[in-house]
Amino acid sequence: MLAPPSLKLLLKQRTNPVHLLNVAATIGASFTFVGIAVAVNDEAALRYSLPFLIAVTPTTLIFRRSILAFSDNQYLSGLTQKGFVAITIACFVALIAIFAPYGVQRFSRLIQFRSVISFPVNQQVVAAEAALMSDREERYTRDLQSKLPAGRTIWAWLDAPFHLDFGRNRIWHFNHDWFIAPWSLHGRNAEELRQELVVRNVDYILWQHRSDFTPNLPFLRRQLQGAESVEYRVIHQNTINLLLALQTLANPLNTVYADGRTVLILLRPPSQSRPPSQENRPHSTVDIDR
């Protein structure tokens, strides 16, 4: 709503730095909000455009001869100017009052968890994250990777990909939240997933199917039964399809290794890749929560 008047004002007063600042803040807020809302989602649009929106308030209300001025030939002065200043201060006080509880919560998390993360956490989550950062988890992850030939391409979906040796293998790390990204997978079933990965020259799948951080099938199905935004419905439905496809691919003939938490899957046929070892070959497919 503010962008068209700002452009009009810019054309009239191109050399006035006050107008330029006002116009920059207004147009930046407008286009950031609309652009992110169209390209990503409404939640991210509000999050990333908030700094611009905060800047628009004082520049629009306080600066003289702004786009809210009564006349193009008159400066706001005297009681009128003081009134705009009072309104601005009231707006900021209201914003502080609204967001103060969130600031207190973040400060509390900083003291308790040494983090200013924006959403609530508990000791169980902190303990799980600490376990992922441990030397034991690093040894576990490296041991998994050592079971696959060096130099081959791995598609990896696990909680701690930073423990992988990216110099030993070409690794394509995946997270289910990326289903709204342009480079997301398009695999509605096992065969489509196989073809999608083979086209991208993937040789093996490293899939951690027991996880404290990856949603399971019951949770995803419950989310789809309730009210969800479009982007999250896309994520949840595609994650369900992916889990079922991976479960199908993790059959005994293709499984290189499985330990009840993570499974290594041979993706390419034996004629195109090294056959899997018979050691530690399971006798059943991966069982994921239904």
Side-chain angles (χ1 to χ4, degrees):
M1 181 176 66
L2 297 176
S6 295
L7 289 174
K8 181 180 178 181
L9 183 62
L10 177 61
L11 293 176
K12 290 183 177 180
Q13 300 289 338
R14 292 186 293 270
T15 60
N16 191 323
V18 172
H19 294 320
L20 292 177
L21 181 59
N22 192 6
V23 168
T26 303
I27 295 178
S30 304
F31 281 90
T32 300
F33 182 83
V34 174
I36 296 179
V38 172
V40 187
N41 55 60
D42 295 337
E43 180 182 344
L46 180 59
R47 175 183 178 186
Y48 292 111
S49 63
L50 193 57
F52 291 98
L53 297 175
I54 292 174
V56 166
T57 303
T59 55
T60 301
L61 294 179
I62 294 180
F63 286 152
R64 296 182 302 171
R65 201 169 171 79
S66 69
I67 61 173
L68 295 183
F70 295 124
S71 170
D72 288 342
N73 300 316
Q74 179 182 354
Y75 286 114
L76 296 176
S77 60
L79 184 61
T80 305
Q81 181 69 27
K82 293 178 181 179
F84 277 113
V85 173
I87 292 174
T88 303
I89 294 174
C91 290
F92 273 103
V93 170
L95 287 174
I96 292 173
I98 292 171
F99 289 101
Y102 299 99
V104 172
Q105 291 172 10
R106 286 203 175 192
F107 182 76
S108 174
R109 285 192 285 270
L110 175 63
I111 299 300
Q112 186 176 3
F113 301 118
R114 305 294 188 272
S115 172
V116 291
I117 191 169
S118 61
F119 49 85
V121 295
N122 54 47
Q123 289 293 347
Q124 183 179 359
V125 172
V126 172
E129 291 180 344
L132 290 180
M133 300 293 292
S134 66
D135 293 338
R136 179 180 179 181
E137 185 69 16
E138 180 179 7
R139 290 192 298 270
Y140 172 77
T141 304
R142 291 296 179 94
D143 181 62
L144 287 173
Q145 186 177 359
S146 68
K147 300 180 185 301
L148 302 177
R152 298 300 176 90
T153 300
I154 302 172
W155 182 87
W157 186 11
L158 71 166
D159 292 336
F162 44 83
H163 288 317
L164 292 169
D165 184 353
F166 285 80
R168 182 180 185 274
N169 294 94
R170 182 172 179 264
I171 297 172
W172 176 11
H173 172 235
F174 175 82
N175 185 280
H176 61 283
D177 286 332
W178 299 343
F179 270 120
I180 58 174
W183 58 84
S184 62
L185 289 170
H186 300 284
R188 293 171 295 179
N189 53 57
E191 188 54 35
E192 286 189 11
L193 177 61
R194 179 191 293 275
Q195 292 302 322
E196 180 84 4
L197 294 177
V198 167
V199 166
R200 304 190 191 198
N201 299 316
V202 175
D203 299 300
Y204 292 91
I205 293 174
L206 192 162
W207 172 35
Q208 182 181 335
H209 55 91
R210 297 293 182 190
S211 167
D212 293 325
F213 301 96
T214 301
N216 55 34
L217 288 179
F219 170 82
L220 294 168
R221 286 166 174 160
R222 285 196 303 271
Q223 293 299 108
L224 288 177
Q225 291 173 357
E228 280 280 14
S229 59
V230 174
E231 58 271 18
Y232 284 113
R233 296 190 73 85
V234 170
I235 292 173
H236 295 333
Q237 184 59 61
N238 281 279
T239 303
I240 289 175
N241 296 341
L242 178 62
L243 289 173
L244 294 174
L246 287 170
Q247 183 183 37
T248 301
L249 290 177
N251 61 70
L253 295 179
N254 295 330
T255 300
V256 179
Y257 174 84
D259 58 11
R261 178 188 175 191
T262 307
V263 60
L264 306 178
I265 304 170
L266 173 67
L267 190 62
R268 295 173 180 270
S271 59
Q272 301 179 26
S273 183
R274 183 181 301 177
S277 170
Q278 296 296 322
E279 182 182 1
N280 294 325
R281 181 184 294 275
H283 299 288
S284 62
T285 59
V286 170
D287 181 24
I288 57 178
D289 296 334
R290 291 186 174 277

